């Protein structure tokens, strides 16, 4: 029985590029086969429960703009209405996955026991709905940044009681994720960082964060959770500095605490940009280490210095991102989550559908362009040619040599390399043939 | 015999804070004892040969503005005049150290054999001058970014011949540094990065860079060089992305290639800012890992997106940096290098002296303020108090526990932490009592 | 009768630089005479009602952290308690001024008539308290950005009804400001801008904003309000682009609509930084046009891309700002407002006092340093010398000449200028003698 | 007779989107009619002489990488070879326009008389080549930023002799532009700004700049030059602050000095980004004032804080820019200049051609998408609908009313506007149907 929230909006279907129906897929065709796999299985789209259903349209200078039947969000009854609407939207969009924080699903209760009990109650309710829905859980996570108890961090809090509360919370969320068949579990440490070094013992906090993450990994194995544990880099906001700054920083952290074989990354385009990187850079860094887990495909406005979490809308950028993903073997158990919120002025149910439809279509175009480039092979051929010198045995010997021997060789052979063009414009033009 | 370049400028001496002599130290008093050590021994100032003597005042939109007796810099004779002037300046400033790249000291020759021979010639000449000078070598380094052969990287070049040329070059520079009693050897990888991922195999390039650095470490041990090997982080410029992005990235890289016990960091304030960090952040990150090597105490303009390499001029900022350095045990064999250039319009010999005098005075004030804060103990006391919960045995047990046990404990004990003020403004006010 | 909120906190008094009392002024001594005027009369400090009393500690990733007796802020009775506490703080700090938005003072009522009636009620109450308080009103303003009705702008809204609601609101706020003897009236157009050009008619919106501001000026004259009308530049946030981007943009806008003689600027340090400028730049731009009105002396974190609104804490920066203010003749009817909020973790009443005390002390040090530089005259002398060429009659003739005559003169006289040093480092060192 | 520089490279022709020839136009088809006009006449492409022929591949950390037959550029004979090669490239690309600075065309001579004589000599030579070439002069300009005489500004220099030298130089360049039938004359004030406010009289410098520009306008009229005078905004680099910061700042400046009817803007995408704006923002600002003159269609890397001057490569971005240009009536006498340089590693003649071909194709795709959107009318219809309230007579009355009357009306009518969706995602999806 419909909640009526989406009244007048039909299921979104593929109508092809010529369609001018604003609520149709023009490029996302789930069953279309790209490089031997269905598009749905490549992209593994997920809706983020928080931005779509729990965020009320506030920003630092203004309050709620949206009006929804499940507001105010302080009641378990309305939490169920919210869930009903969410699954209606999953069905309208035909998305295979969704994601949640505990705090999105039901109101914060102010104490752990009630937080746990209500989480169990609402996830049981979700579980019932999932029995008749195609939409599965891509990942669950704990919101350990909104309530005031987390203001100085969760696992990195100066107060051990907060560490304990955090550990108890993650156990609850990981259990619930496992119960619902979640395919990954994510940790984003929005307050694991600092506002000022003046009151912060950075080394001790990092050690606690490392220990905490190890416990999460241990518990995952203990309960037989087969999904991946993912951390999500972001440089700052809400913290002045967040420890999981970017992919390279996270990887260094994981290696320090011996977790590089256990934990992967959930990369977000907007966070890449806030950290001073392109999204493809973050993907390439993770891929080079075999640590690419999943992506949040939401962009940041290039002129804004905060996390705007917008739906993607630039095919050339998205295409290059999927190019690196496909090169790395695809998303595996990960997916393409939209950690994207509507603009605060986009008040209507139709806007919520349109945001997702547009984002999914952009990704579909990007994926197809990326696949076409890989199949054409132009970039890979150019790369092979550029590094071909390293295939020779003398080059391999070089890597196994030492400074003194190399200097002697350079002197005796008069090695004096001549630069070769990097051909950047030609390669950029090549990409533009496909996007 | 004087070159005459500094005619009319006397040796700079300490005259105390009331002096209005623009070419006197008002705060830097080498023999003054701070926390049990002479200021000179704390700060270990170094002049950078390149910016002071080799940079001609050009920028991306304009050419040479300076006029110097040793221009044009294409001749070994004038390279000696440049060295003479440099040592005159070291003497005028009474600095204990200087630093160089090979390319600063003598003209690039266009081939390795001549590069090596002229480097030996000019460093022999420097060695002679050092016999009668108090000024020692803080570090040497190889310029592997200016000549066109390095345009696509040195150790990360797609062409193995460039890797070989780079290895040969570093051997030469490390030998010369060792010959001159250098206390460290630095690698800054300005072109170890990429302009576009489209033509770059990031994983292979990082492996080559790791291998290269290992060879440098091996060679250092082979020749008995006792100084530290340092890498200098910078996020970008000239590259779009530089692999040694920031302290955390470098540390992760070093750990991956097993070099975390062998290599430390040379941190620059301006590069911290370009990477989105405060300088004290970078110092704290390095210190927490025991990898603080040396510093380049030159600031970046906060409104400019490129490396402005200006002399420091903000005492509160410098004080917090030295606070973290003193907390970490000081600079050890490292020092305070000014990788700082005059503004392009500062044409005169007097400007060159004044830039250094001002920078040294700022550092001296910062050091004294930092020492006073440490001796007063207010920040450390506040830190101890804030983290005191972690001193209890129950907190220590927590770290050795597991998620399930912790959740049980949170439930049974009804743990529900209450936030405590972080007191940031009070701590900031405290600092302002000292700066 | 005290509300008890500040129990245990005494009036803050001047104790001199040696005091270690965290709640004493160490530099701000209201009656101390600087350049012939009392410090209080130079600085004209104001407390911002909103950040100090209405902001609850939320940020985009978390809710309320503060707990205050006047929460929840939905009741006129608690609005009076808030006012009582505010005046207690003004008294404790001994500040001469405060500032408000209508929405800070009493809860939004959801319709205009009740908004107006409750504003009159609460400002009458403030008026009563001001009879026995030394603290006067520096400026009032209307919050036309928080409620959802303003989401698409106030005077620039596509809906004329919002324009009308805005006009009615400003009339009410200007009347209330006038009633309370306010010395200025400020407009900050947080939502006068756009989220996307795709749905925006920029030209029409600017015309509406110009017309709106003209009405405000007309009404001011009609009611005999003698204070200045000020607009406050900010580049963005909450909008993607705000029309009042920076000082130069505002001045251009005012000139276009013929308001350059009627409206001045309220400049904020943090907004300068977000716009890519130093604070002294914005002051110098406004001063060069005679449009410097008042300042919001709250800084932005240099590594954060959003408006952090922190209390000032860097004397060298503040000193240069006051130097330009003093050169321009001082703040006149304007003042030094702290549009500054506590960090979200600074929960205690003591933090609120300490934030202001620290900020005021920093400003006092900055003012004294600026005055000392002006009295010493070193910077002005250097400026005079640098531009002395323009004092000659031939230089003045040049400005009244034309290209052809000038070219003829350059050819005939062989004019070939030689660069002179800009002496930037020497001037920076000079400033550091005073800060 | 060919110089041989482009040996092996044929004339670039339109081959259609399916072509995989890297040196063919796939989208730029000069004679194709778009909205009633030939593409060539819409886009009016221009090659920039400086980046293509005078820039040698240097950057702040490295020297020349390119090797060209006309190097070293210190000889009038080689200046002619450079011109020959330039016209060969114009012919290969089939571009209708080019642009130059005086300093690109021939070597700086060190004094004005010789600068003028050699400029006349080389522009006579260009004039001869133009007789048989289709390529016309879009604009000329004076390089008043590279030589050391300009280090402290041209028209804003503290030394009146530099002002005079600048005036004489612009006269020479404007004469030469006029002689060659140039359609515009551009001023970019790279050093019209400051490095530090400490040595700068900002108000006086702006007055001088205003006066200088008035002289240029007067001289244009005197000689009957029918082209437009354009200024090009850029926020900084090489200066710390450049007076022509962005479009709004320039427009405010022009209005102050009474030049708003005489001078228009040359807008560059990269400079928009450095100033914190999107390119379409700058275009919309200029268009709203009727001051859109011409564009430099070269992008900035979003992660670099300096002017990267890259060829455009993102169709969605370019399309929105041309959308605003077409809405404003097109480029008129202006054009699409590529103020774009090859990447420093792009050494080959083929790279130079490919950069332009790719950029031209991107622009052609963008133009066609923009035209399709305008013809479809979806965005304009949405805009009309959103602002339809302002078409009513009551809304028009509102703008002619006053605050008191409006407040009375709001009270009596109980005006209480209800927000309507801004539909941003829907509009963004709409655009993505066309790009
Ligand atoms: Co985000
Ligand atoms: Co995310
Ligand atoms: Co640097
Ligand atoms: Co450095
Ligand atoms: Co602010
Ligand atoms: Co403000
Ligand atoms: Co540019
Ligand atoms: Co340009």
């Amino acid at each position: 029985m419909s909640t009526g929230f989406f009244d007048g909006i039909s299921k979104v279907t593929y109508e092809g590029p010529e369609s001018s129906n604003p609520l149709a897929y023009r490029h996302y065709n789930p069953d279309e086969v790209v490089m031997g796999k269905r598009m749905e299985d490549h992209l593994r789209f997920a809706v983020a429960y928080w931005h779509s259903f729990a965020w009320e349209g506030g920003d630092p200078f203004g309050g709620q703009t949206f009006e929804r039947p499940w507001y105010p969000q302080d009641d378990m009854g309305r939490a169920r209405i919210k869930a009903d609407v969410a699954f209606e939207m999953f069905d309208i969009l035909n998305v295979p996955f969704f994601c949640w924080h505990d705090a999105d699903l039901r109101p914060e209760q102010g104490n752990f026991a009630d937080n746990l009990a209500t989480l169990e109650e609402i996830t049981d309710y979700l579980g019932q709905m999932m029995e008749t829905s195609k939409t599965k859980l891509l990942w669950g996570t704990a919101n350990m940044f909104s309530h005031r108890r987390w203001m100085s961090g969760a696992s990195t809090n100066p107060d051990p009681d907060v560490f304990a509360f955090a550990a108890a919370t993650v156990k609850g969320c990981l259990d619930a994720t496992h119960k619902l068949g979640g395919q990954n579990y994510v940790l984003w440490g929005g307050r694991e960082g600092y506002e000022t070094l003046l009151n912060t013992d950075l080394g001790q906090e990092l050690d606690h964060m490392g220990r905490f993450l190890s416990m999460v990994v241990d518990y995952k194995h203990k309960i037989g959770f087969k999904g991946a544990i993912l951390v999500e880099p972001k440089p700052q906001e809400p913290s002045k500095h967040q420890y999981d700054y970017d992919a390279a920083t996270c990887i260094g952290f994981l290696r320090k605490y011996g977790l590089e074989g256990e934990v992967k990354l959930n990369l977000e385009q907007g966070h890449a940009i806030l950290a001073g990187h392109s999204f493809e850079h973050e993907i390439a860094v993770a891929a080079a280490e075999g640590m690419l887990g999943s992506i949040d495909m939401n962009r940041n406005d290039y002129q804004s210095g905060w996390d705007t979490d917008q739906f993607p809308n630039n095919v050339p950028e998205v295409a290059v991102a999927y190019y690196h993903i496909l090169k790395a073997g695809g998303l595996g158990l990960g997916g393409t989550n939209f950690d994207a919120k509507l603009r605060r002025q986009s008040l209507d149910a139709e806007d919520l559908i349109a945001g997702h439809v547009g984002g999914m279509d952009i990704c579909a175009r990007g994926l197809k362009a990326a696949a076409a480039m890989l199949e054409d092979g132009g970039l890979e051929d150019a790369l092979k040619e550029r590094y071909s010198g390293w295939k020779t045995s003398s080059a391999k010997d070089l890597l196994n040599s030492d400074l003194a021997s190399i200097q002697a060789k350079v002197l005796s052979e008069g090695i004096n390399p001549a630069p070769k063009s990097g051909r950047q414009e030609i390669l950029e033009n090549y990409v533009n043939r496909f996007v």
Side-chain angles (χ1 to χ4, degrees), chain A:
Chain A
M1 199 188 69
S2 158
T3 63
F5 182 71
F6 292 109
D7 267 5
I9 298 179
S10 322
K11 286 194 63 142
V12 179
T13 57
Y14 175 72
E15 298 186 1
E18 301 314 316
S19 171
S20 62
N21 176 359
L23 296 187
Y25 296 120
R26 300 170 58 256
H27 302 278
Y28 179 56
N29 188 4
D31 293 318
E32 186 177 328
V33 173
V34 173
M35 289 185 79
K37 203 197 279 191
R38 295 171 62 248
M39 281 177 74
E40 186 177 82
D41 299 332
H42 271 292
L43 290 163
R44 297 170 58 87
F45 286 124
V47 167
Y49 211 94
W50 51 101
H51 277 145
S52 293
F53 305 109
W55 182 62
E56 300 186 348
D59 70 17
F61 292 86
Q64 172 193 338
T65 55
F66 300 158
E67 294 179 331
R68 305 292 193 228
W70 58 93
Y71 292 176
Q73 301 185 67
D74 58 2
D75 173 279
M76 287 300 287
R78 285 189 293 271
R80 285 174 187 244
I81 297 174
K82 177 163 57 172
D84 294 343
V85 171
F87 276 82
E88 284 174 20
M89 189 171 92
F90 303 158
D91 189 49
I92 287 170
L93 291 172
N94 187 29
V95 282
F97 292 105
F98 75 116
C99 305
W100 50 254
H101 301 89
D102 52 352
D104 313 326
L105 302 178
R106 55 86 184 101
E108 161 74 35
Q109 304 294 313
N111 69 79
F112 182 72
D114 291 335
N115 273 354
L116 185 62
T118 50
L119 181 66
E120 284 172 359
E121 178 188 333
I122 195 73
T123 49
D124 284 345
Y125 185 70
L126 293 185
Q128 288 166 31
M129 286 196 292
M130 289 169 75
E131 284 172 20
T132 57
S133 167
K134 83 169 266 187
T135 306
K136 302 202 184 82
L137 180 61
L138 184 65
W139 43 267
T141 188
N143 176 326
M144 301 198 295
F145 46 88
S146 291
H147 190 269
R148 66 194 293 273
R149 80 172 62 85
W150 312 116
M151 72 176 200
S152 307
S155 70
T156 63
N157 203 290
D159 181 352
D161 280 357
V162 179
F163 183 101
F165 204 107
T169 297
V170 170
K171 177 183 178 295
C173 290
L174 191 44
D175 287 339
T177 301
H178 193 34
K179 176 176 76 183
L180 295 178
Q183 310 208 357
N184 303 270
Y185 184 84
V186 169
L187 295 107
W188 174 63
R191 308 244 182 233
E192 311 290 31
Y194 61 78
E195 288 307 303
T196 176
L197 274 175
L198 294 178
N199 71 10
T200 303
D201 184 331
L202 182 146
Q204 181 172 359
E205 293 200 357
L206 284 165
D207 285 346
H208 291 180
M209 193 164 91
R211 181 65 197 114
F212 188 91
L213 194 51
S214 298
M215 288 189 200
V216 175
V217 166
D218 290 346
Y219 186 70
K220 161 195 146 161
H221 290 305
K222 183 179 159 188
I223 62 174
F225 179 73
K226 300 296 177 209
I229 302 292
L230 307 175
V231 294
E232 179 171 336
K234 189 177 178 188
Q236 55 173 4
E237 202 209 18
S239 302
K240 171 184 166 50
H241 175 83
Q242 192 172 319
Y243 294 133
D244 290 334
Y245 198 81
D246 59 7
T249 304
C250 286
I251 292 168
F253 168 84
L254 293 173
R255 190 164 268 124
K256 180 175 183 190
Y257 295 99
L259 294 165
E260 72 272 27
E262 292 283 359
V263 177
K264 293 183 171 176
L265 303 183
N266 184 45
L267 298 171
E268 176 173 320
Q269 191 205 13
H271 300 177
I273 288 163
L274 289 172
H277 305 302
S278 67
F279 192 29
E280 60 266 26
H281 171 81
E282 290 291 89
I283 295 170
V285 167
E289 300 267 9
M291 293 194 200
L292 173 60
S294 194
I295 60 169
D296 279 4
M297 186 48 108
N298 42 291
R299 69 184 164 107
N300 212 66
D301 184 281
Y302 282 114
Q303 282 85 45
S304 303
W306 61 94
D307 197 15
T308 62
D309 283 331
Q310 294 176 259
F311 286 94
N313 78 342
N314 191 293
V315 172
E317 291 182 358
V318 167
V320 180
Y322 281 112
Y323 183 82
H324 283 277
I325 289 168
L326 290 177
K327 256 184 78 169
L331 288 167
L333 287 182
T336 299
N337 179 42
F338 294 112
D339 189 357
K341 58 189 179 198
L342 291 177
R343 295 310 83 199
R344 188 177 179 257
Q345 299 178 38
S346 299
L347 305 180
D348 300 340
E350 185 188 359
D351 295 316
L352 190 53
I353 301 299
H356 285 88
V357 168
M360 291 162 75
D361 255 1
I362 292 292
C363 291
R365 287 173 70 181
L367 175 78
K368 286 187 285 188
M373 285 192 281
L374 266 180
E375 289 177 328
D376 184 80
L379 290 177
E380 293 313 290
D381 289 348
L383 213 55
K384 212 170 287 175
E385 164 65 19
R386 191 167 188 237
Y387 290 85
S388 59
W390 287 103
K391 296 286 183 198
T392 65
S393 62
S394 73
K396 285 170 186 168
D397 291 348
L398 197 62
L399 292 179
N400 294 319
S401 185
D402 60 85
L403 294 192
S405 309
I406 297 174
Q407 193 187 72
K409 180 179 154 92
V410 169
L411 282 167
S412 68
E413 300 181 9
I415 291 175
N416 206 359
K420 277 177 218 138
S421 173
R423 299 170 64 86
Q424 181 166 338
E425 292 80 7
I426 290 171
L427 296 173
E428 289 177 349
N429 291 353
Y430 173 84
V431 171
N432 268 310
R433 282 178 43 204
F434 296 88
V435 296

